[in-house]
Amino acid sequence: VAISDGCDLCGRIERTERGENPFSVVRTATGYVNLADVQYHEGYTVFVAKRCVAELHELPDSERDEFLHEMALVAEAVFDAFQPRKLNYELLGNGAPHLHWHLFPRHADDARLGGPVWKDPGFLGALERGPVDPARLVPLKLRLLPALERRHLTIECRFE
Ligand SMILES: [Zn+2]
């Protein structure tokens, strides 16, 4: 898998593989399931492609199809684990041009449930405050990992 110098997400993958990224949950056939830095929406998960490309069409067809299939299974696992009212899927990559899906559980108590997370000042404030204390990730991983394991997903590696 190609790692690009200067890519923030490739840097995270390298830290994951060295066992230094507490946000990582599993590696699948095509990507990495990570809890997001910010947990304003409990269970917010990011599915990062193994391959460092900016656009879906830059993946070989078979890899693109498998990546999308795995993303749907990861999303289903997030839903299973965190029981939101609604799940949001976003593939943006303006700031970090390395394919990564944002999977946002929108919970019943979400004050901005009718709109995009990016218009929620509470979420934007949480982003500014920076990553959550890794201790907070432990109970979330305990919910997400078994939900991932219940799907027909290729789990190549689990990260403690
Ligand atoms: Zn990258």
Side-chain angles (χ1 to χ4, degrees):
V1 171
I3 297 288
S4 303
D5 286 337
C7 171
D8 173 57
L9 292 177
C10 285
R12 287 178 187 235
I13 288 172
E14 290 181 320
R15 288 198 296 283
T16 293
E17 293 294 348
R18 289 198 304 263
E20 296 169 4
N21 185 353
F23 291 87
S24 293
V25 184
V26 301
R27 183 177 70 229
T28 71
T30 65
Y32 292 82
V33 178
N34 294 333
L35 286 162
D37 288 0
V38 166
Q39 290 294 317
Y40 180 81
H41 305 92
E42 187 182 62
Y44 170 22
T45 296
V46 181
F47 183 47
V48 182
K50 276 184 182 174
R51 196 186 292 265
C52 188
V53 296
E55 306 296 345
L56 275 174
H57 67 253
E58 295 177 74
L59 291 176
D61 286 0
S62 62
E63 187 173 333
R64 178 201 59 207
D65 291 352
E66 190 175 9
F67 179 58
L68 290 172
H69 178 68
E70 288 198 324
M71 181 279 291
L73 294 175
V74 172
E76 188 181 13
V78 170
F79 196 96
D80 182 13
F82 300 106
Q83 298 288 306
R85 174 75 60 84
K86 177 73 185 77
L87 202 58
N88 286 172
Y89 304 66
E90 296 194 82
L91 181 71
L92 301 169
N94 304 303
H98 174 146
L99 290 175
H100 61 286
W101 285 94
H102 297 264
L103 302 168
F104 289 100
R106 306 297 300 272
H107 296 285
D109 64 353
D110 186 326
R112 301 275 176 152
L113 196 55
V117 296
W118 310 103
K119 287 194 168 177
D120 182 340
F123 174 59
L124 300 177
L127 284 178
E128 259 175 43
R129 286 192 296 281
V132 297
D133 182 337
R136 236 191 110 187
L137 305 172
V138 175
L140 301 176
K141 284 187 177 186
L142 287 174
R143 288 160 71 180
L144 184 53
L145 181 59
L148 291 163
E149 287 172 334
R150 283 194 289 274
R151 316 254 101 73
H152 290 289
L153 190 63
T154 303
I155 295 178
E156 293 183 349
C157 186
R158 291 162 179 76
F159 303 104
E160 297 306 318

